[in-house]
Amino acid sequence: MNATLLPDALNLDTAQDLLLYRYQTTEDITKTKIILSKNTISFLKNGVKGVFGDDKNIHTAEERFVMMKSGNCLMTETVSSAHKNFESILLFFTDEAILRFLERHKFDLSKPVDNRAIYSFEYDSYIRRFVLSLEQVLQFPKALQTEILKHKFEEIMLYLVHKYSVDFLKALVQNIDNKLSRLISIAENNKHNKLSMEELAFLCNMSISTFKRTFQKHYQTTPIKWFTEQRLNYTAFMLQTKRNRPVDIYEDAGYENLSNFVQAFKRKFGVTPKQYQMSI
């Protein structure tokens, strides 16, 4: 039985730190192999969900929701007899999103916690309203979804930490290897800088081959593709908000000439930088 990689198999832009998806099926599934490339909250709406992980097995129905650490697990889904389907709202988030949240709010990470990969939380009136708001977000254009999800992620994490303490988040990230944490920090802090592979590997205290291998394992893409994606997104932001001309910013995107930048920009956004700017 082949494993399903999520959220990659859902035709979403997996380069994003935060992703939202409405999942529905009318057929039961039993112990399907799942590889989560991002941490996941499954807000169950209809049916019964079973998750079998490396530290815990749970079964939960509509009165609870599940948070799962990225990694391998088995999932069982049972269709609701009342609604004739299984439905959940999936919120995917990266380790980097957790680390930034923990750092932003200055939580103490020194105290060790139990190593757990699966958590089950009880719905309350606040969480139910929150899930309804996520369903509304799903109706928005993708660009707006991306911006609002940043605030929604902050909201749900602050509420869960308030209700349950920060230990569940610490458990999700405490096993991140120190070298990987450093690589993530260096990549995120330099995604708009024109550093060479050699320079990035040096900052991580890794050989170039180890840096590439570790980077690809974590981000599920090559460093070149990831940094190119980040820089093109940044140039689109520059074009949109600062009214820069394409000729002024192509070097910031890591391109040696305007022609190559225009071609790469068009491959990603479907229009040239000038056309993109004029459409705003």
Side-chain angles (χ1 to χ4, degrees):
M1 179 172 58
N2 294 328
T4 301
L5 181 63
L6 296 177
D8 307 63
L10 301 177
N11 196 30
L12 299 173
D13 181 6
T14 55
Q16 300 292 331
D17 280 349
L18 304 169
L19 295 169
L20 191 62
Y21 187 81
R22 181 194 298 274
Y23 173 77
Q24 299 180 82
T25 183
T26 57
E27 298 181 357
D28 293 342
I29 65 169
T30 303
K31 290 187 178 179
T32 296
K33 291 181 179 178
I34 301 292
I35 302 173
L36 295 172
S37 62
K38 287 179 169 60
N39 307 296
T40 308
I41 301 179
S42 177
F43 293 103
L44 189 61
K45 290 179 61 65
N46 301 322
V48 177
K49 187 180 192 70
V51 183
F52 305 82
D54 55 3
D55 69 321
K56 187 178 182 181
N57 300 332
I58 66 164
H59 280 82
T60 186
E62 290 94 334
E63 72 275 4
R64 301 187 71 84
F65 61 98
V66 183
M67 181 180 294
M68 298 163 284
K69 180 177 175 57
S70 59
N72 296 1
C73 63
L74 299 174
M75 284 192 191
T76 294
E77 296 168 354
T78 305
V79 169
S80 164
S81 57
H83 297 89
K84 307 302 181 185
N85 76 340
F86 177 94
E87 182 178 0
S88 63
I89 304 298
L90 301 176
L91 175 60
F92 299 100
F93 54 100
T94 61
D95 288 337
E96 302 89 82
I98 302 176
L99 291 169
R100 285 196 295 268
F101 173 82
L102 293 172
E103 181 180 354
R104 187 159 54 247
H105 295 282
K106 308 300 181 184
F107 290 114
D108 181 14
L109 302 182
S110 60
K111 182 182 177 181
V113 295
D114 292 336
N115 179 28
R116 293 176 58 185
I118 305 173
Y119 287 85
S120 176
F121 299 107
E122 187 174 1
Y123 275 110
D124 59 20
S125 59
Y126 186 91
I127 297 296
R128 292 191 184 280
R129 288 194 297 270
F130 177 81
V131 176
L132 289 175
S133 73
L134 290 184
E135 294 185 78
Q136 291 180 309
V137 172
L138 282 166
Q139 307 304 315
F140 299 150
K142 292 297 182 183
L144 183 57
Q145 282 189 36
T146 298
E147 293 306 310
I148 291 180
L149 274 182
K150 296 175 184 176
H151 303 286
K152 286 297 176 183
F153 178 76
E154 187 85 0
E155 177 185 348
I156 190 62
M157 290 303 159
L158 284 172
Y159 182 74
L160 292 176
V161 167
H162 165 74
K163 189 171 183 179
Y164 297 103
S165 89
V166 74
D167 286 354
F168 71 94
L169 282 181
K170 290 164 64 176
L172 289 183
V173 299
Q174 73 174 355
N175 282 339
I176 297 177
D177 179 82
N178 287 337
K179 289 186 177 180
L180 178 57
S181 296
R182 183 172 178 80
L183 183 149
I184 292 169
S185 177
I186 289 168
E188 292 291 333
N189 290 331
N190 291 284
K191 58 187 177 184
H192 301 147
N193 297 329
K194 295 182 290 183
L195 297 184
S196 68
M197 206 67 61
E198 182 180 0
E199 290 168 333
L200 290 165
F202 173 78
L203 291 175
C204 294
N205 194 26
M206 297 178 178
S207 67
I208 294 178
S209 59
T210 299
F211 173 79
K212 289 180 178 179
R213 184 170 61 252
T214 306
F215 191 103
Q216 184 153 357
K217 182 178 180 181
H218 180 74
Y219 285 98
Q220 302 294 310
T221 187
T222 66
I224 290 176
K225 289 182 179 179
W226 188 85
F227 279 104
T228 298
E229 182 87 7
Q230 303 304 312
R231 289 165 185 162
L232 285 173
N233 286 339
Y234 181 65
T235 57
F237 171 79
M238 295 284 285
L239 289 168
Q240 181 178 4
T241 61
K242 296 187 177 182
R243 315 306 295 181
N244 298 73
R245 297 180 302 164
V247 71
D248 297 328
I249 61 174
Y250 73 86
E251 290 184 337
D252 291 334
Y255 291 89
E256 294 183 357
N257 58 68
L258 178 61
S259 177
N260 287 344
F261 167 62
V262 170
Q263 292 176 23
F265 191 98
K266 188 173 183 179
R267 282 196 299 270
K268 176 171 174 57
F269 294 100
V271 294
T272 66
K274 186 174 182 180
Q275 290 170 333
Y276 179 89
Q277 194 170 46
M278 291 175 64
S279 68
I280 297 171

